[in-house]
Amino acid sequence: MLTSFTVKNYRLFDTLTIEPLARINLIAGKNNTGKTSLLEALWLYSGSTNPQLSVRVNAFREMEIFRLSASGIWDNLFRNFDPQHNIFMSATSKGTPEHELRISLEEITEVRIPVEDSGNGSAQAEQERSQIRYVITRPDGTQLDQTGRIEEDQIIFEGLGQAMIEAIFLPARMRTNPKVMAARLSHIEQRLEEHYLVSSMQVVEPRIHDIRTSSFGEVPVFQCRVTISGLEDRRVPLNTMGSGLFRFFELLLALSTSSGGLLLVDEIENGLHHSVMVKVWTALFQLATEFDVQVFATTHSFECIQAAYAALQDEPADALGLHRLEEKDGQVEVITYNADAIAGAVKYEIEVR
Amino acid sequence: MERPPKDSPYQLIVEGPDDLFFFGEFQTQLLKAGLIPDRAYITELGGKDQTLELRKFLSGLIPRSKPVLGIGLIRDADHDPAATFTSVQSVLRQVDGLSVPTVIGKFKVDAARNLRVGVLIIPPDRPGIRETVCLDALAEHPIGPCVDAFVDCVSETGSIPYFENKPDYFKDKGRLLAYLAAQEHTDYRIGIALARGFIPWDHTAFDSFVRFFQGLTAGRGV
């Protein structure tokens, strides 16, 4: 579990260190203070060996790529759209340094000579282009160097490796593809861990007994066995039990397949009625503890924060963290609430968002 | 009683609902008289045993999104004003980022945070409670001797356990209520009595209150 995280020169962050981190971390703050960017930074950091994520973070924001160019894709990752300053990320886990990630955008100059022209020395085409470079420094000092560049109509990445830390990002504006969800459920079933999922679902909907995937054409459908008063148990599509329960299932699936890693959720309250949020947090915390997953979730909802506190107030002090991002003189700062501060803010309804 | 918004930059913390009402009316009078520029938002923490609540409340208040400029705490002196002040100081020290005042009624200013913090113990120099100060303001009232005689008489019967083996200031609540019982349209809420003019808020006995509210809302004298 990470205990601190530092990011420099990413999107609107100059230097931001967030600590101490808890099992469940709520990220609050006004619009455009960097809540989503913080989740993205954690995602890029956890998937350091995969520069493809640097493209996918834009897709999560529904940013169209109008022009397949390095500047069009990657410039916006750098503070003030200025790649002169490298992006840097680091973290600690119980005081021990984790790996460091440095991302730079650098010019490459290539000379391309068509083979048929190579003999006459003419028609040399010199091109100035950019490539994104990831340099990962492991705690033992060894480094991994990776690059990504654009070749005509493709983005080519070299030197991909295994993720440093497992992480799943659930963006605010996109629901997880049902096929991906089915793959996650299959993964859980293979590990014979579906009972964790079902018991977590039962915290919110006690009538559910199991969940399976069936196919409707190409599209997976999640069927659950439910007890309905006065009737025999029957299977019904999970979608018919309300969008909130489906959203909860999406969260649980992601959490159950991020074992030992991070679950990053943008606007966690989306689709969930405030009246079930205490149960949602209870279940998420239980499952996060079981699978050793650290949760980072942004929220605009005070009720969501109240519910998290209500669910976790009797848990250890590192169960719940509240971090508010705020912009001050052009810099984003983080205010981290300790246990007393969360308790006071929730009980006396002091504005924290 | 008009209340300012909860996110007011000036926050006053008192012991209970009666204090909330009394000091709410008190600052209304100060505002009407032009002695303070703004009202503080008053929070009551539910009684005297409030160490944990006070710590939680302040811990949540300090990092809130809208800056707090002034925090005031008012506590009854009870048996020992210095000990009460020390007790409040010890709670303040447990709150991250809070300046701790060193003199009763004076604000400690944290220039970097632009935050002033003050603690008023009432009365500041002898055992007592809020009603003790109200009685000071009524000391010259013609019915003062009648009130004293009534409470002494009741006390001597030994039939009121609340008075038994207690410091004299315990009787101040009874004395003030006896005074209020003699007023037109009897109401035992001292905030109402203040609003109706039965307790003279502008008496010199309340000078320390006035200075405290001025320090809290205007930074005057800090």
Side-chain angles (χ1 to χ4, degrees):
Chain A
M1 195 167 93
L2 301 180
T3 44
S4 77
F5 177 67
T6 295
V7 53
K8 295 180 181 178
N9 299 321
Y10 180 74
R11 296 220 200 259
L12 69 176
F13 302 133
D14 183 341
T15 298
L16 187 84
T17 294
I18 179 167
E19 65 178 338
L21 298 173
R23 171 71 65 192
I24 305 285
N25 296 276
L26 291 173
I27 317 294
K30 293 178 182 169
N31 289 331
N32 199 31
T33 51
K35 300 186 295 296
T36 303
S37 297
L38 178 60
L39 295 187
E40 290 173 359
L42 282 158
W43 196 56
L44 292 177
Y45 176 77
S46 56
S48 289
T49 50
N50 185 0
Q52 292 177 81
L53 305 188
S54 63
V55 178
R56 289 178 62 193
V57 287
N58 290 333
F60 287 163
R61 289 179 182 252
E62 296 179 334
M63 288 165 62
E64 299 282 344
I65 298 173
F66 295 108
R67 192 165 57 98
L68 199 56
S69 69
S71 60
I73 297 170
W74 290 308
D75 274 8
N76 68 79
L77 302 181
F78 293 81
R79 179 167 161 78
N80 297 331
F81 298 87
D82 179 8
Q84 295 296 316
H85 301 290
N86 295 347
I87 295 167
F88 175 81
M89 298 176 194
S90 64
T92 61
S93 183
K94 292 180 182 167
T96 306
E98 293 277 338
H99 69 279
E100 294 175 356
L101 170 64
R102 192 172 299 277
I103 305 174
S104 57
L105 201 59
E106 56 193 24
E107 296 293 319
I108 49 174
T109 304
E110 286 184 344
V111 177
R112 296 194 172 202
I113 306 168
V115 173
E116 60 272 23
D117 297 333
S118 59
N120 59 24
S122 65
Q124 288 190 0
E126 189 168 303
Q127 263 189 312
E128 277 199 5
R129 300 186 301 134
S130 298
Q131 67 177 4
I132 195 163
R133 177 178 294 277
Y134 270 46
V135 177
I136 299 149
T137 306
R138 300 187 186 91
D140 64 6
T142 58
Q143 289 193 327
L144 185 63
D145 200 340
Q146 302 169 307
T147 56
R149 66 183 190 283
I150 292 160
E151 288 278 347
E152 297 175 354
D153 59 347
Q154 296 177 74
I155 307 172
I156 297 171
F157 294 104
E158 291 177 352
L160 304 188
Q162 288 284 329
M164 305 293 281
I165 303 168
E166 290 294 332
I168 290 178
F169 190 149
L170 298 180
R173 298 175 202 169
M174 298 165 68
R175 294 279 77 89
T176 308
N177 183 318
K179 289 180 181 173
V180 173
M181 290 175 69
R184 287 178 183 159
L185 181 56
S186 171
H187 181 66
I188 293 164
E189 287 168 344
Q190 282 168 17
R191 295 188 322 208
L192 304 176
E193 290 173 342
E194 60 267 40
H195 59 284
Y196 290 117
L197 194 66
V198 172
S199 57
S200 295
M201 290 289 281
Q202 286 172 338
V203 173
V204 171
E205 179 45 270
R207 296 177 300 172
I208 290 179
H209 298 302
D210 73 9
I211 300 170
R212 290 182 191 168
T213 310
S214 60
S215 289
F216 185 77
E218 290 285 305
V219 182
V221 174
F222 302 98
Q223 301 271 358
C224 51
R225 202 182 89 213
V226 294
T227 303
I228 298 173
S229 178
L231 299 172
E232 285 186 8
D233 283 6
R234 57 187 301 171
R235 287 202 173 277
V236 297
L238 183 59
N239 311 49
T240 64
M241 298 187 72
S243 59
L245 196 63
F246 196 83
R247 164 71 166 159
F248 182 50
F249 178 60
E250 181 189 12
L251 288 170
L252 294 175
L253 273 182
L255 201 153
S256 304
T257 43
S258 309
S259 188
L262 311 181
L263 174 63
L264 310 163
V265 189
D266 202 6
E267 298 181 14
I268 193 164
E269 69 273 16
N270 280 1
L272 294 165
H273 192 263
H274 68 88
S275 61
V276 300
M277 283 308 292
V278 175
K279 289 178 178 175
V280 165
W281 282 121
T282 301
L284 287 179
F285 178 72
Q286 286 172 355
L287 208 57
T289 305
E290 187 65 46
F291 287 100
D292 188 24
V293 176
Q294 196 168 14
V295 178
F296 292 82
T298 70
T299 182
H300 287 120
S301 163
F302 189 65
E303 286 159 333
C304 176
I305 296 167
Q306 283 178 308
Y309 175 72
L312 306 179
Q313 60 182 317
D314 296 326
E315 300 295 341
D318 66 351
L320 178 64
L322 173 61
H323 316 275
R324 188 182 74 245
L325 301 183
E326 60 183 37
E327 190 267 336
K328 209 170 185 179
D329 303 327
Q331 307 274 334
V332 177
E333 296 180 352
V334 60
I335 313 290
T336 292
Y337 284 61
N338 63 25
D340 276 349
I342 299 173
V346 166
K347 178 166 182 182
Y348 295 99
E349 297 186 348
I350 300 167
E351 185 58 83
V352 299
R353 296 164 297 172
Chain B
M1 180 183 69
E2 196 175 327
R3 298 190 76 182
K6 198 168 189 173
D7 63 355
S8 164
Y10 315 113
Q11 297 282 322
L12 178 66
I13 300 145
V14 297
E15 289 179 12
D18 287 348
D19 298 283
L20 189 150
F21 201 70
F22 175 79
F23 288 108
E25 288 298 338
F26 193 87
Q27 68 172 345
T28 295
Q29 302 302 324
L30 296 182
L31 197 66
K32 281 181 187 171
L35 292 172
I36 56 173
D38 207 350
R39 286 185 170 89
Y41 185 84
I42 307 177
T43 301
E44 57 94 2
L45 295 182
K48 291 186 186 297
D49 184 19
Q50 55 183 225
T51 303
L52 181 61
E53 286 304 305
L54 180 57
R55 197 179 76 203
K56 284 181 181 175
F57 176 76
L58 291 173
S59 297
L61 185 66
I62 299 297
R64 78 170 192 191
S65 43
K66 186 173 177 182
V68 187
L69 302 178
I71 296 174
L73 295 98
I74 299 182
R75 293 284 302 269
D76 286 342
D78 295 328
H79 65 283
D80 182 348
T84 302
F85 185 60
T86 303
S87 162
V88 176
Q89 283 178 307
S90 71
V91 178
L92 299 184
R93 284 194 191 96
Q94 295 171 36
V95 180
D96 284 346
L98 203 62
S99 300
V100 180
T102 52
V103 180
I104 292 173
K106 291 284 186 187
F107 281 80
K108 179 82 171 182
V109 179
D110 180 339
R113 284 177 172 267
N114 194 22
L115 172 65
R116 50 185 178 271
V117 181
V119 177
L120 180 64
I121 305 295
I122 52 175
D125 50 1
R126 65 188 197 280
I129 54 179
R130 180 188 51 183
E131 286 80 356
T132 308
V133 184
C134 293
L135 289 169
D136 288 346
L138 296 166
E140 295 91 31
H141 197 282
I143 70 167
C146 314
V147 167
D148 286 343
F150 170 74
V151 172
D152 289 346
C153 178
V154 168
S155 183
E156 283 163 15
T157 65
S159 60
I160 307 295
Y162 180 69
F163 286 169
E164 292 302 304
N165 303 315
K166 297 282 170 50
D168 187 63
Y169 73 80
F170 265 69
K171 295 172 188 164
D172 287 345
K173 196 180 283 278
R175 290 188 181 103
L176 188 64
L177 294 180
Y179 167 79
L180 294 179
Q183 307 305 316
E184 191 179 3
H185 307 305
T186 299
D187 191 310
Y188 296 111
R189 291 169 296 179
I190 65 172
I192 295 285
L194 193 83
R196 290 179 178 170
F198 299 146
I199 298 173
W201 67 269
D202 52 353
H203 191 278
T204 55
F206 292 118
D207 281 356
S208 62
F209 290 24
V210 177
R211 285 195 298 274
F212 192 71
F213 273 96
Q214 289 176 328
L216 175 61
T217 59
R220 195 175 300 168
V222 300

